[in-house]
């Protein structure tokens, strides 16, 4: 892990580490960590997934529940994960074990770290396929195919891509290779710099899209869909999806943030950095929604169209606006890079475990996990064509992977992290790491972890399973 990024440097002070021994490397600055964590958090979840699940779950009420989950559960859990990583200075599985032993609790807590690592791996198996769609659209946009495209043509173009497994596989293979190459080499200063311009660049492009959305004459309709809550549209499953997405979009319960947190210097505020990452992530998702829904309504498209939503709506916008081909290329390029900075953080915990515990060389670890990913990714590729009608519990392979990770493993992982951080780890340790003192803010965090998160997650689960009905 030492070469994770050019921004990681020798430690300033690792006296906080529970484990003594080898000096551990650290981020060079608070900003470096925020950028890396934001690079992990901002990805397909914000621009691809958030709009389409919001569309599927009826808009405003879903968004409200999602925002509540981010604020009340997601950000406090993020603080807990960074705290655990930084305190133990180890990969997620061993970090949980180390802190459990420090608190004289069962070493079985290790399995929670493990579940995260596996969850990250499973997510990545479909994440690379969707990232492949984005990369493919860079070239589609570049060919001028969006110019004056009609909604029907945009739908047919996307459908044509999905129907072709070889095409999907080629692009996702390219994404796997790029991701593993970067992870294998260590993310160099070049990529760090790329992230530096990517975030502002992505934001500017989304703002341009929002600007276009304003010109469609349906901006208010789109914004109302996004923000005016209609609770009659909210099903019990919607609440579970909103909760799961809060974890997904903040990169929680997957080893990613915990691993990145393990490089955070002692003197950096966990609270402030978590808030910064949470705000950036939420802003990108909401802006993406504001760019997409007005277009959906302006062209009479279906908000609940599913995973293809942005790939059908945005080309129409690019086809109409001045310099649309250029903006289209830039947008899908940025989306691809945003997806890759997330993909790196999804695989890093597994690779680090293979190198640290199994003594694999970094190259061998990358090839092994890359091959595993690729094979699992075939299931997602085929879900959109040959296996489209092969369903288990009414879900395709892709739907199942998505449901299993975002809606089951992540909330469950978050629940365990909350219990661990607030009931198992000693209060004093948490106080020390969070640096909030013992005042109201610390009490609020503790309340969120002790009661709000566990009770909230259990209720949402039971409700979704039909055991109780609210
Ligand atoms: N947060 C990323 C996104 O929104 C996905 C992700 C999940 C990344 C879990 C790392 C860990 O696209």
């Amino acid at each position: 892990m030492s070469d994770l990024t050019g921004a990681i440097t020798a430690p300033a002070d690792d006296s906080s580490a529970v484990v003594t021994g080898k000096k551990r490397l650290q981020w060079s600055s608070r900003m470096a960590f925020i950028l890396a964590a934001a690079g992990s958090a901002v990805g397909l979840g914000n621009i691809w997934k958030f709009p389409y699940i919001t569309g599927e779950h009826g808009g405003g009420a879903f968004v409200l529940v999602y925002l509540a989950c981010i604020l009340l559960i997601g950000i406090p859990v993020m603080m807990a994960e960074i705290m655990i990583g930084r305190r133990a200075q180890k990969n997620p599985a061993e970090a949980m074990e180390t802190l459990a032993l420090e608190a004289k609790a069962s070493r079985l807590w290790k399995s929670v770290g493990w579940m995260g690592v596996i969850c990250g791996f499973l997510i990545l198996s479909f994440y690379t396929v969707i990232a492949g769609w984005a990369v493919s659209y860079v070239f589609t946009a570049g060919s001028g195919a969006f110019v004056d495209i009609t909604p029907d043509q945009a739908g047919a173009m996307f459908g044509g891509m999905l129907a072709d497994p070889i095409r999907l596989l080629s692009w996702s293979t390219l994404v796997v290779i790029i991701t593993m190459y970067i992870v294998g080499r260590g993310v160099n200063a070049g990529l760090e710099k790329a992230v530096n311009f990517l975030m502002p660049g992505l934001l500017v492009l989304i703002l341009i899209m929002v600007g276009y959305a304003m010109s469609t004459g349906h901006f208010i309709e789109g914004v109302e869909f996004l923000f005016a809550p209609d609770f009659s549209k909210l099903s019990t499953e919607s609440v579970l999806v909103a909760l799961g997405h809060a974890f997904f979009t903040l990169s929680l319960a997957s080893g990613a943030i915990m691993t990145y947190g393990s490089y955070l210097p002692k003197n950096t505020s966990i609270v402030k950095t978590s808030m910064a990452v949470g705000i950036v992530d939420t802003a990108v998702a909401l802006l993406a929604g504001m760019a997409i829904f007005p277009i959906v309504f302006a062209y009479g498209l279906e908000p609940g169209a599913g995973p293809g939503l942005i790939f059908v709506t945005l080309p129409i916008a690019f086809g109409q606006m001045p310099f649309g081909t250029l903006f289209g290329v830039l947008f899908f390029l940025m989306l691809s890079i945003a997806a890759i900075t997330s993909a790196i953080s999804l695989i890093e915990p597994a690779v680090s475990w293979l190198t640290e515990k199994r003594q694999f060389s970094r190259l061998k670890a990358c090839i092994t996990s890359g091959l595993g990913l690729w094979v699992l990714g075939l299931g997602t590729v085929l879900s959109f064509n040959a296996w489209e009608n092969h369903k288990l519990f009414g879900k395709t392979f892709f739907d199942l992977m998505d449901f299993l990770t975002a809606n089951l493993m992540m909330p469950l992982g978050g629940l365990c992290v909350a219990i661990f951080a607030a009931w198992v780890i000693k209060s004093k340790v948490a106080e020390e790491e969070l640096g909030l003192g013992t005042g109201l803010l610390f009490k609020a965090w503790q309340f969120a972890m002790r009661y709000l998160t566990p009770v909230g997650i259990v209720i949402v689960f039971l409700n979704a399973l039909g055991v109780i009905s609210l």
Side-chain angles (χ1 to χ4, degrees), residues 40-41 43-46 127 248-249 251 254 256 342 345-346 410:
S40 167
L44 295 171
N46 308 61
Y127 206 85
F248 184 89
T249 193
S251 303
S254 57
S342 299
S345 72
L346 276 160
M410 288 187 140

Side-chain angles (χ1 to χ4, degrees), residues 444-468:
W445 174 81
Q446 214 173 28
F447 179 78
M449 290 291 92
R450 283 207 162 152
Y451 306 105
L452 211 62
T453 301
V455 172
I457 294 177
V458 168
I459 290 178
V460 173
F461 263 141
L462 294 181
N463 206 23
L465 289 175
V467 179
I468 55 168

Side-chain angles (χ1 to χ4, degrees), residues 166-183:
I166 299 297
R167 194 165 145 201
L168 294 185
L169 191 62
S170 311
W171 291 114
S172 68
T173 305
L174 180 69
V175 173
V176 173
I177 292 172
I178 296 175
T179 306
M180 297 332 286
Y181 176 79
I182 295 172
V183 176

Side-chain angles (χ1 to χ4, degrees), residues 44-63:
L44 295 171
N46 308 61
I47 296 163
W48 162 71
K49 197 173 181 189
F50 171 73
Y52 98 74
I53 55 177
T54 298
E56 282 180 339
H57 294 272
F62 175 85
V63 174

Side-chain angles (χ1 to χ4, degrees), residues 33 86 114 183 199 213 242 278 317 406 418 445 468:
F33 171 78
R86 182 169 78 176
W114 256 112
V183 176
M199 289 297 164
W445 174 81
I468 55 168

Side-chain angles (χ1 to χ4, degrees), residues 94-174:
E94 290 181 275
M96 293 292 288
E97 185 183 31
T98 307
L99 294 198
L101 293 179
E102 187 199 25
K104 306 210 177 6
S106 162
R107 59 163 12 116
L108 279 181
W109 281 103
K110 185 180 185 166
S111 47
V112 175
W114 256 112
M115 183 167 74
V117 175
I118 294 169
C119 179
F121 191 82
L122 295 181
I123 289 176
L124 198 51
S125 77
F126 67 79
Y127 206 85
T128 51
V129 177
I130 315 293
W133 299 355
V135 181
S136 154
Y137 263 52
V138 173
F139 296 92
T140 313
S143 73
F146 294 166
V147 178
D148 289 331
I149 199 169
T150 63
D152 285 346
Q153 287 167 336
M157 193 162 76
F158 181 66
M161 178 176 74
L162 290 193
D164 185 348
I166 299 297
R167 194 165 145 201
L168 294 185
L169 191 62
S170 311
W171 291 114
S172 68
T173 305
L174 180 69

